Amino acid sequence: MNVFRRLLGERQPNGPNGPSRRWIFVPYDQLTDRVGALAQEDPQDLGIVVIESPWKAARRPYHKAKLALVLANLRHFALEQAGRGVAVRHVVTSGPYRDALRSLARELGPLRVMEPAERELRVDLEPLIGDGTLDVVPHDGWLTTPEHFRSSQDGPPWRMDAFYRYVRRETGILMRDGKPEGGKYSFDAQNRKPWNGDPAAPDPPRFPDDPVKDEVVELVETRFSHHPGTLDPGRIPVTKEDAEVLWGWALEECMTHFGPYEDAMSTQSSGLFHTRISPLLNLCRLLPSRVIHDVAELDVPLSSREGFIRQVLGWREFVRHVHRETDGFRNVPAAASPADAPRTHVPWSDGGWSRWSGRTWGAAGDGRHADVPGLEGAADPSALGADADLPVAFWGKPSGLRCLDTVVNDVWAEGWSHHITRLMVLSNLATLLDVSPREVTDWFWVAYLDAFDWVVEPNVLAMGTFGTGELMTTKPYVSGANYINRMSDYCRGCRFEPKRNCPITPLYWAFLGRHEDALRENPRLRLPLASLAKRGATARRRDAIVFERVRDGLARGEEIEPDVVPARK
């Protein structure tokens, strides 16, 4: 840490940096001076506390790139604030945040903090809030309030569509004279084109090395060498300037074609026309208010502007409210979901890291949730009773399915993939195999740069795996090979042919067959279930055989071969 400490010392403002200043604790995901006290008050009167906690970083086998992204941005943010005249206390703690902050408060007096987005951090800080050590103020980075959420509908169950329409009307975004631009709120039905290589997909920008990032990369590669993933420093934006470069690239190179190709997937480009800004958005290096304003004013097709804004103003805000309202799905109204009441003290899983690595997570002093009261257990809903282990194919062992192997390789190379590959490849296959929703969620949590509890649990535990039933989604998002073949080029060059012997289609029918009773009353599944009823007994037995062979083969870490699908007689 010699480079960072030296630079911070050089930039620290002269004068008092103790109790005479008003001190703010800035969490790792609030790295902005464009909202809150840092935007509203004189920097000369303020001090900030930033904390690095190796204990926090080691509590899960986080992707190395994720650790580097968070840590390098935190350090650059501290340097930026010192350069503005804000006093900076940088602390490294071997334990939870509460311990470090309590010690600092004895010297500096009570501290302020914008309400943390992550439930995990809120729970960590609860004792300090209760005794007045921390004063919590609203998080000004959000676009909507709990009142917006509750006023938008009479849920639970909750629906994003109702919330999005309500917020559009309340904010006036993409509205003209009280009506939505283009005559409708969503252009999702138009944004489903496959991509054949034209127009060309843009190459994402690479970001320069700097001494602070280099120091962080060395730290991660040494102290966290047993963590998974490839750490490519050029992929990681760490400064305020880097964030502007990425956003400028997104506006210039991506937005025109984002809408039509939003659901497309390709081996030629892991991101196509997706902006890749979600990691920076979730760290507040870019603010949702700013990106929505920029896109709303952009001269690109309305379907692209609306599709992007729906993701940020609609879905991102919606999942945050659902997570907050249910206390991270620990308090799910029984009437809102067909699932049994979630078990809320199931031990946190490592997402299958132990089965893949052959080691036990925590055996070498890795951080444990049980060290902090309130963080010792996870919500574990499973509306359809899924409880299988996640296959080691999700950690990079070849499965033989080109779609799965391509996306998994992209994730471990970049710590990112766009939302359709997350939903319709990764979550789809895990759901078809009856994998535990909790373990799938924990895998996403460690693998993705943008995954924090408030976003990953609604997106995966609730939507991607249907773990909470119809609480916030209307159906399981599952498909056979035809969808993947139509929306991607993954099937070209695969050992399986989508219309002949790809196991994903019989896996789909076997899934519907196993869960037919639980799904029978779902109006959005009437057509698929009617088609299931037309499948003869022989076809259904064949589907079940494929499910058992694929599940068991992947559980053993084997590649799936074409003979997994029995020949028709």
Side-chain angles (χ1 to χ4, degrees):
M1 205 181 298
N2 293 335
V3 171
F4 168 66
R5 283 288 177 87
R6 175 178 57 78
L7 291 173
L8 184 60
E10 292 171 355
R11 296 188 191 185
Q12 284 278 30
N14 296 323
N17 65 356
S20 61
R21 289 182 181 250
R22 297 186 294 276
W23 286 87
I24 303 162
F25 166 49
V26 179
Y28 44 83
D29 59 355
Q30 295 182 11
L31 306 181
T32 181
D33 56 16
R34 296 179 183 178
V35 298
L38 288 171
Q40 300 161 3
E41 301 180 28
D42 189 339
Q44 308 296 327
D45 297 331
L46 296 176
I48 62 170
V49 173
V50 293
I51 296 176
E52 294 181 19
S53 173
W55 172 85
K56 167 83 170 178
R59 274 161 54 188
R60 294 183 182 86
Y62 291 116
H63 197 302
K64 289 177 183 175
K66 182 174 188 173
L67 297 178
L69 174 84
V70 175
L71 185 54
N73 273 280
L74 181 78
R75 291 186 180 184
H76 270 291
F77 175 77
L79 294 173
E80 292 159 9
Q81 296 313 301
R84 295 177 63 226
V86 178
V88 178
R89 293 291 185 97
H90 170 260
V91 179
V92 178
T93 179
S94 59
Y97 289 82
R98 63 175 70 169
D99 295 346
L101 289 169
R102 190 180 296 283
S103 177
L104 276 171
R106 295 190 187 104
E107 174 193 352
L108 301 175
L111 297 93
R112 283 179 289 171
V113 62
M114 289 197 298
E115 182 183 67
E118 276 212 293
R119 179 192 184 274
E120 281 205 343
L121 186 55
R122 295 197 300 270
V123 171
D124 186 350
L125 301 180
E126 275 177 2
L128 306 186
I129 298 167
D131 65 16
T133 301
L134 268 182
D135 177 27
V136 179
V137 299
H139 189 326
D140 293 340
W142 297 108
L143 302 172
T144 62
T145 66
E147 289 70 32
H148 285 127
F149 178 68
R150 294 170 189 145
S151 297
S152 68
Q153 55 203 291
D154 295 326
W158 297 288
R159 297 292 177 257
M160 193 281 287
D161 180 65
F163 172 75
Y164 177 55
R165 288 169 179 254
Y166 178 87
V167 174
R168 287 273 298 275
R169 292 192 296 267
E170 287 291 302
T171 61
I173 293 171
L174 293 186
M175 301 290 286
R176 293 289 183 270
D177 300 323
K179 296 181 180 180
E181 286 189 33
K184 52 187 177 181
Y185 286 95
S186 173
F187 290 83
D188 186 47
Q190 295 177 218
N191 291 353
R192 296 176 182 173
K193 283 187 175 182
W195 180 73
N196 62 9
D198 183 27
D203 293 326
R206 293 186 63 83
F207 304 98
D209 292 339
D210 69 74
V212 173
K213 180 160 67 171
D214 292 343
E215 193 168 58
V216 166
V217 168
E218 182 180 2
L219 171 65
V220 172
E221 292 285 19
T222 53
R223 180 161 188 168
F224 301 99
S225 60
H226 59 300
H227 283 239
T230 299
L231 176 46
D232 178 353
R235 293 185 188 272
I236 302 175
V238 300
T239 66
K240 186 181 294 187
E241 293 74 20
D242 289 347
E244 292 300 315
V245 167
L246 181 61
W247 183 230
W249 169 83
L251 291 173
E252 181 70 23
E253 302 291 341
C254 297
M255 287 309 305
T256 296
H257 303 296
F258 169 73
Y261 301 105
E262 185 177 354
D263 288 4
M265 303 174 283
S266 178
T267 59
Q268 300 176 60
S269 170
S270 62
L272 290 176
F273 302 99
H274 289 258
T275 65
R276 299 174 176 263
I277 67 167
S278 55
L280 295 186
L281 209 57
N282 291 352
L283 295 179
C284 288
R285 292 299 257 172
L286 291 171
L287 291 178
S289 56
R290 186 266 181 95
V291 299
I292 283 179
H293 174 270
D294 289 352
V295 169
E297 300 298 318
L298 205 59
D299 183 18
V300 299
L302 177 58
S303 63
S304 288
R305 288 186 287 135
E306 188 280 319
F308 177 88
I309 287 172
R310 180 162 21 92
Q311 293 296 318
V312 180
L313 178 65
W315 189 254
R316 184 175 185 270
E317 295 281 320
F318 174 72
V319 298
R320 172 251 177 164
H321 288 301
V322 171
H323 197 261
R324 195 78 167 81
E325 197 77 8
T326 61
D327 192 28
F329 300 103
R330 289 161 176 80
N331 181 23
V332 176
S337 170
D340 294 333
R343 295 174 293 164
T344 58
H345 291 289
V346 173
W348 298 91
S349 82
D350 59 16
W353 181 89
S354 298
R355 288 190 299 278
W356 166 70
S357 67
R359 299 176 54 186
T360 300
W361 187 253
D366 301 314
R368 307 299 291 173
H369 281 83
D371 294 341
V372 178
L375 294 183
E376 65 280 345
D380 187 32
S382 185
L384 300 178
D387 61 1
D389 292 339
L390 187 73
V392 290
F394 279 69
W395 290 90
K397 193 171 181 64
S399 71
L401 298 166
R402 192 173 187 229
C403 55
L404 177 61
D405 294 342
T406 297
V407 178
V408 166
N409 288 338
D410 288 343
V411 170
W412 291 119
E414 302 181 39
W416 182 88
S417 70
H418 67 75
H419 70 271
I420 294 301
T421 56
R422 302 188 201 203
L423 181 63
M424 299 310 299
V425 175
L426 300 172
S427 296
N428 178 36
L429 285 166
T431 303
L432 294 180
L433 292 169
D434 280 346
V435 174
S436 157
R438 181 72 257 170
E439 186 158 281
V440 182
T441 302
D442 291 338
W443 179 85
F444 272 89
W445 200 339
V446 305
Y448 277 84
L449 303 180
D450 53 15
F452 298 92
D453 61 12
W454 63 269
V455 65
V456 74
E457 289 186 314
N459 272 305
V460 184
L461 191 65
M463 183 186 187
T465 64
F466 203 61
T468 61
E470 296 179 35
L471 179 69
M472 57 170 279
T473 58
T474 57
K475 66 170 184 176
Y477 283 86
V478 290
S479 79
N482 284 343
Y483 177 88
I484 296 171
N485 186 40
R486 184 173 71 251
M487 295 305 300
S488 79
D489 60 6
Y490 295 150
C491 300
R492 300 173 202 165
C494 183
R495 66 184 59 174
F496 300 102
E497 297 179 19
K499 294 183 179 181
R500 187 174 66 87
N501 66 350
C502 178
I504 297 176
T505 296
L507 286 177
Y508 170 78
W509 291 116
F511 171 84
L512 292 180
R514 291 193 308 279
H515 303 297
E516 186 174 5
D517 290 343
L519 300 173
R520 193 182 307 280
E521 301 303 317
N522 188 309
R524 294 198 65 188
L525 293 178
R526 284 175 185 157
L527 288 177
L529 290 177
S531 297
L532 177 70
K534 297 176 183 177
R535 289 177 75 79
T538 300
R540 293 183 68 153
R541 282 195 299 271
R542 187 168 169 269
D543 297 336
I545 289 171
V546 174
F547 167 70
E548 291 172 3
R549 289 179 175 178
V550 172
R551 178 197 61 191
D552 295 347
L554 291 179
R556 293 190 296 268
E558 299 171 355
E559 290 193 47
I560 305 304
E561 299 292 345
D563 62 3
V564 75
V565 178
R568 289 184 175 90
K569 296 180 180 180

